């Protein structure tokens, strides 16, 4: 559905005609100056979007991508429009999860069409911020594309900071001495966190190429004076991608260290088990020998045989215990 629609003249909002064709003609009129039409849609149906497609002459392939969603961040140039896909992300502190939605932006001759899928990228705040800065809005549709991409990338920085805090907490929990018996849960938490970082990476990584292109010259429908601003967005995105790379590498290191730690603990447990088994084996062997039903056995009829055998078994167990203790097996 159409969430908002307005014509902007000289950086100020004016309510245009309800009919899209009349509104676009008004924005393109010779006396309109730097006017342009901005239409915002949220999860439109094919029938709802067909009106916009016919009025603005959007390319069928771009329209198909905008309707179906599930696209990678990208920038595509068509004859009559520029098509940009950006994936906003949302961090849920209660569940420590990252989810990504999609935002498509069409810009062309005196028009901007934004198509939003999901609830994570409401553009009302961006629109209000732009309307409070008429000098920026005078740059036309390029100003909208810059403001949208800048807001989303700035939110990437916030999400990366939240993930860094969660990673430090996870690292503390995994390597805490009290977590020695929680190895399975620790590995599960690491894998779950790695999935969240991967979801974040899918949104930030592919966006680098479109931002680099927008910051360079020769991109149609992009104002030349906007190139430094897109370079700033690209720099911020580069910093985010470096943070994501660092998070991913550190998670891999934590997982490797955790698995090595589990191996050491298992070896310690096996040594303890082996030591106790060895101490139990000696008296078992002696008792087994003297438990055989033979009449002719050495020392079988001596009066001190029983206490002597018990003392021998006790001394053997104590000797083994001291030996294993000295070697760190117990």
């Amino acid at each position: 559905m159409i969430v908002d629609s307005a014509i902007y003249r000289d950086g100020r909002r004016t309510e245009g005609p309800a009919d899209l064709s009349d509104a676009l003609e008004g924005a393109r009129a010779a006396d309109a100056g730097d006017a342009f039409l901005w239409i915002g849609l949220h999860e439109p149906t094919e029938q709802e979007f067909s009106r916009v497609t016919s009025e603005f002459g959007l390319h069928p392939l771009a329209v198909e991508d905008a309707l179906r969603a599930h696209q990678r961040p990208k920038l595509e140039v068509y004859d009559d429009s520029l098509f940009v896909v950006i994936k906003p992300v949302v961090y849920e502190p209660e569940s420590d999860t990252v989810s990504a939605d999609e935002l498509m932006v069409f810009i062309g001759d005196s028009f901007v069409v934004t198509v939003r899928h999901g609830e994570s990228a409401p553009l009302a705040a961006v629109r209000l911020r732009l309307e409070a800065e008429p000098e920026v809005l005078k740059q036309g549709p390029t100003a909208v594309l810059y403001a949208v991409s800048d807001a989303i990338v700035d939110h990437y920085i916030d999400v990366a900071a939240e993930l860094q805090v969660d990673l430090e907490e996870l690292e503390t929990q995994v390597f805490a001495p009290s977590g020695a018996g929680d190895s399975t849960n620790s590995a599960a938490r690491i894998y779950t966190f790695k999935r969240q970082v991967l979801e974040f990476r899918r949104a930030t990584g592919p966006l680098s190429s479109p931002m680099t292109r927008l910051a360079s010259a020769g991109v149609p429908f992009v104002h030349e004076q906007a190139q430094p601003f897109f370079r700033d967005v690209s720099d911020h995105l580069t910093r985010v991608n470096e943070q994501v790379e660092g998070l991913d590498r550190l998670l891999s290191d934590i997982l490797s260290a955790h698995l090595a730690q589990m191996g050491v603990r298992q070896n310690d447990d096996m040594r303890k088990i082996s030591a106790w088994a060895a101490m139990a084996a000696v008296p078992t062997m002696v008792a087994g020998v003297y438990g055989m039903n033979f009449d002719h056995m050495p020392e079988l009829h001596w009066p001190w045989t029983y206490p002597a055998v018990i003392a021998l078994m006790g001394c053997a167990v104590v000797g083994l215990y001291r030996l294993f203790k000295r070697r760190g097996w117990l």
Side-chain angles (χ1 to χ4, degrees), residues 74-152:
K74 62 182 179 179
L75 168 65
E76 294 182 352
V77 179
Y78 298 101
D79 294 336
D80 299 324
S81 63
L82 187 71
F83 179 58
V84 182
V85 179
I86 308 176
K87 296 179 75 70
V89 297
V90 172
Y91 173 79
E92 297 293 342
E94 293 81 8
S95 56
D96 295 335
T97 58
V98 175
S99 59
D101 293 328
E102 292 185 39
L103 177 66
M104 289 80 170
V105 182
F106 295 86
I107 66 173
D109 182 14
S110 302
F111 73 85
V112 179
V113 178
T114 54
V115 182
R116 182 164 55 92
H117 290 269
E119 303 295 335
S120 66
L123 297 180
V126 176
R127 191 184 285 260
L128 289 175
R129 191 185 72 182
L130 281 174
E131 291 175 355
E133 301 176 355
E135 294 299 323
V136 178
L137 269 178
K138 284 183 180 180
Q139 304 301 321
T142 304
V144 177
L145 178 58
Y146 161 71
V148 170
S149 58
D150 182 60
I152 292 176

Side-chain angles (χ1 to χ4, degrees), residues 1-326:
M1 65 177 183
I2 296 179
V3 179
D4 198 355
S5 176
I7 295 177
Y8 295 87
R9 289 187 175 90
D10 295 327
R12 302 191 180 278
R13 178 181 180 124
T14 60
E15 299 300 330
D19 184 76
L20 296 181
S21 180
D22 295 339
L24 184 60
E25 289 179 2
R28 289 176 174 174
D31 59 346
D34 295 328
F36 67 95
L37 174 64
W38 182 2
I39 298 177
L41 300 98
H42 179 236
E43 297 182 355
T45 63
E46 187 173 353
Q47 293 179 347
E48 293 172 339
F49 204 50
S50 62
R51 289 182 54 209
V52 179
T53 303
S54 59
E55 295 295 342
F56 297 102
L58 304 180
H59 196 278
L61 293 177
V63 171
E64 182 180 359
D65 291 342
L67 288 174
R68 292 186 177 182
H70 303 293
Q71 304 295 318
R72 284 168 51 90
K74 62 182 179 179
L75 168 65
E76 294 182 352
V77 179
Y78 298 101
D79 294 336
D80 299 324
S81 63
L82 187 71
F83 179 58
V84 182
V85 179
I86 308 176
K87 296 179 75 70
V89 297
V90 172
Y91 173 79
E92 297 293 342
E94 293 81 8
S95 56
D96 295 335
T97 58
V98 175
S99 59
D101 293 328
E102 292 185 39
L103 177 66
M104 289 80 170
V105 182
F106 295 86
I107 66 173
D109 182 14
S110 302
F111 73 85
V112 179
V113 178
T114 54
V115 182
R116 182 164 55 92
H117 290 269
E119 303 295 335
S120 66
L123 297 180
V126 176
R127 191 184 285 260
L128 289 175
R129 191 185 72 182
L130 281 174
E131 291 175 355
E133 301 176 355
E135 294 299 323
V136 178
L137 269 178
K138 284 183 180 180
Q139 304 301 321
T142 304
V144 177
L145 178 58
Y146 161 71
V148 170
S149 58
D150 182 60
I152 292 176
V153 171
D154 284 347
H155 189 60
Y156 286 167
I157 297 176
D158 297 335
V159 173
E162 293 287 348
L163 289 176
Q164 182 66 41
V165 173
D166 288 345
L167 180 61
E168 292 174 358
E169 294 177 355
L170 176 63
E171 187 177 12
T172 302
Q173 294 173 3
V174 168
F175 295 108
S178 59
D182 198 22
S183 300
T184 303
N185 291 336
S186 296
R189 287 199 301 271
I190 295 172
Y191 276 115
T192 301
F193 197 93
K194 201 170 181 64
R195 291 290 302 175
Q196 305 309 315
V197 173
L198 177 61
E199 183 71 17
F200 190 32
R201 193 175 187 175
R202 288 173 178 170
T204 63
L207 189 59
S208 295
S209 178
M211 288 297 109
T212 302
R213 289 182 60 188
L214 289 171
S216 60
V219 180
F221 308 107
V222 176
H223 203 287
E224 293 182 358
Q225 296 181 358
Q227 293 174 14
F229 297 95
F230 282 112
R231 279 198 294 269
D232 182 66
V233 176
S234 180
D235 290 341
H236 290 175
L237 183 60
T238 300
R239 187 175 71 181
V240 172
N241 284 325
E242 290 175 352
Q243 288 179 293
V244 174
E245 290 288 342
L247 288 172
D248 188 63
R249 286 196 301 268
L250 189 55
L251 274 172
S252 298
D253 293 341
I254 291 174
L255 181 59
S256 299
H258 175 63
L259 294 177
Q261 191 179 47
M262 288 178 59
V264 171
R265 290 171 182 169
Q266 290 175 351
N267 288 338
D268 290 340
D269 293 339
M270 289 301 299
R271 286 193 298 181
K272 291 180 181 179
I273 294 172
S274 300
W276 287 109
M279 287 188 291
V282 172
T284 301
M285 180 188 67
V286 176
V289 170
Y290 280 91
M292 293 185 294
N293 296 321
F294 294 121
D295 291 333
H296 303 286
M297 292 184 65
E299 300 87 20
L300 188 62
H301 297 288
W302 287 8
W304 296 101
T305 300
Y306 176 75
V309 169
I310 296 298
L312 175 63
M313 290 190 293
C315 292
V317 171
V318 171
L320 289 174
Y321 179 82
R322 295 183 62 182
L323 175 64
F324 292 136
K325 191 72 174 179
R326 190 181 306 113

